[in-house]
């Protein structure tokens, strides 16, 4: 496996703490750089080696217990920013992982309140570390989707659930992510929608799902079946329908951008 120049620069910057040339590094720094390069050549993602990944406007801690933040998921941030113009609202992130989606949105909407839910206590520990390092207020809850939120209500729900089917091929980087955060199918979206209806006081006014490359139309149909309307597709940089959003049919407090 060959490393691209940007990765080599990132490794040196991580070890030295600033831009530097390899030949200008100390013997100890060169040893650490070579150790990281050797691990990277095994296929281990750089984020898993150095312990953080850039996403939106920040670095986020990540471990073997969390899905690494991905550029495709920034489509979720853009989708919410394009749809929501109000400043004060509540947001629920189902399957928060590192918290990168929730915390990035709370940074964009500093008057909003956010709750991140994950079934993994280890993932929540990582999310808490990111809350602490960014200084953003958010609540974390260990729960299987909405089960621990009985009677709660939220203006917006976002989710990047596990949606890769087990028969699908994945890139080498993804093999280092926790399977519970990676593998699922369309039934995952149906389970989440049922959980919302079962445990929460009411439907959210807006809902946003990240989806697989061929799942957008089917997720849109599911949303309409569960009582949502005004379905929109949001494309990633490759032109793929990466996020599906919809509004509750009931009257909304939040006025969205059309």
């Amino acid at each position: 496996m060959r490393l691209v120049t940007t990765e080599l620069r990132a490794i040196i910057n991580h070890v030295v703490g600033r831009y530097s040339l390899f030949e200008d590094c100390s013997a100890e720094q060169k040893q650490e750089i070579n150790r990281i390069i050797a691990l990277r050549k095994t296929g281990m993602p750089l984020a898993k080696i150095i312990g953080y990944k850039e996403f939106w406007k920040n670095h986020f801690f990540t471990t073997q217990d969390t899905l690494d933040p991905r550029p495709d998921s920034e489509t979720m941030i853009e989708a919410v920013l394009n749809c929501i113009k109000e400043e004060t609202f509540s947001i629920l992130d189902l399957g928060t992982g590192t918290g990168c989606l929730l915390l990035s949105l709370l940074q964009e909407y500093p008057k909003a309140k956010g709750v991140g839910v994950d079934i993994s206590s280890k993932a929540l520990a990582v999310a808490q570390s990111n809350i602490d390092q960014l200084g953003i207020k958010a609540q974390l809850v260990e729960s299987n989707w909405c089960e621990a939120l009985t009677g709660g209500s939220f203006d917006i729900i976002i989710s990047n659930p596990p949606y890769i089917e087990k028969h699908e091929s994945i890139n080498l980087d993804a093999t280092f992510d926790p399977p519970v955060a990676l593998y699922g199918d369309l039934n995952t979206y149906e389970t989440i929608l049922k959980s919302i209806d079962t445990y929460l006081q009411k439907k959210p006014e807006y809902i946003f799902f990240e989806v697989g490359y061929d799942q957008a139309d089917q997720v849109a149909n599911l949303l309409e079946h569960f009582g949502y309307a005004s379905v929109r597709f949001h494309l990633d940089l490759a032109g793929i329908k990466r996020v599906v959003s919809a509004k509750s049919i009931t009257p909304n407090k939040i006025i969205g951008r059309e």
Side-chain angles (χ1 to χ4, degrees), residues 77-91:
I77 310 301
E78 294 168 349
V80 176
L81 289 172
N82 285 333
C83 291
I84 308 300
K85 66 180 182 181
E86 294 298 307
E87 297 181 353
T88 304
F89 54 87
S90 58
I91 184 166

Side-chain angles (χ1 to χ4, degrees), residues 105-118:
L105 285 172
L106 290 176
Q107 191 171 48
E108 297 292 336
Y109 297 96
K111 294 182 181 179
K113 295 181 179 180
V115 175
V117 165
D118 208 287

Side-chain angles (χ1 to χ4, degrees), residues 121-147:
S121 59
K122 292 181 178 179
L124 289 174
V126 177
Q128 185 62 56
S129 296
N130 284 316
I131 288 173
D132 294 342
Q133 65 120 351
L134 293 173
I136 297 173
K137 291 184 179 180
Q139 180 184 357
L140 299 177
V141 178
E142 185 176 344
S143 177
N144 183 18
W145 304 128
C146 298
E147 287 182 11

Side-chain angles (χ1 to χ4, degrees), residues 120-213:
S120 167
S121 59
K122 292 181 178 179
L124 289 174
V126 177
Q128 185 62 56
S129 296
N130 284 316
I131 288 173
D132 294 342
Q133 65 120 351
L134 293 173
I136 297 173
K137 291 184 179 180
Q139 180 184 357
L140 299 177
V141 178
E142 185 176 344
S143 177
N144 183 18
W145 304 128
C146 298
E147 287 182 11
L149 303 173
T150 302
S153 65
F154 299 89
D155 298 312
I156 297 171
I157 291 180
I158 62 171
S159 185
N160 176 18
Y163 56 71
I164 297 176
E165 299 192 25
K166 289 189 176 180
H167 69 267
E168 290 185 43
S169 60
I170 58 175
N171 61 40
L172 184 58
D173 282 8
T175 63
F176 292 86
D177 286 323
V180 69
L182 203 62
Y183 292 109
D185 52 30
L186 285 168
N187 290 330
T188 306
Y189 298 98
E190 184 173 4
T191 299
I192 292 172
L193 291 167
K194 287 180 178 177
S195 184
I196 291 169
D197 286 350
T198 300
Y199 297 103
L200 299 186
Q201 184 180 351
K202 62 178 182 177
K203 283 178 166 55
E205 297 173 16
Y206 283 81
I207 189 165
F208 297 81
F209 280 131
E210 180 169 329
V211 299
Y213 73 96

Side-chain angles (χ1 to χ4, degrees), residues 20-92:
S20 182
L21 298 175
F22 182 79
E23 53 266 31
D24 295 332
C25 296
S26 68
E28 184 178 356
Q29 288 170 337
K30 288 179 180 178
Q31 184 178 6
E32 177 62 8
I33 290 167
N34 286 328
R35 183 191 72 83
I36 294 174
I37 290 172
L39 284 173
R40 181 68 186 107
K41 285 184 176 179
T42 68
M44 182 180 291
L46 182 58
K48 287 286 192 283
I49 301 170
I50 64 178
Y52 61 84
K53 180 77 176 284
E54 288 185 14
F55 181 84
W56 199 242
K57 297 178 179 178
N58 298 292
H59 289 110
F60 287 88
F61 296 127
T62 183
T63 71
Q64 71 273 13
D65 299 306
T66 56
L67 193 73
D68 286 347
R70 287 167 165 74
D72 285 348
S73 295
E74 292 187 353
T75 309
M76 176 73 78
I77 310 301
E78 294 168 349
V80 176
L81 289 172
N82 285 333
C83 291
I84 308 300
K85 66 180 182 181
E86 294 298 307
E87 297 181 353
T88 304
F89 54 87
S90 58
I91 184 166
L92 173 63

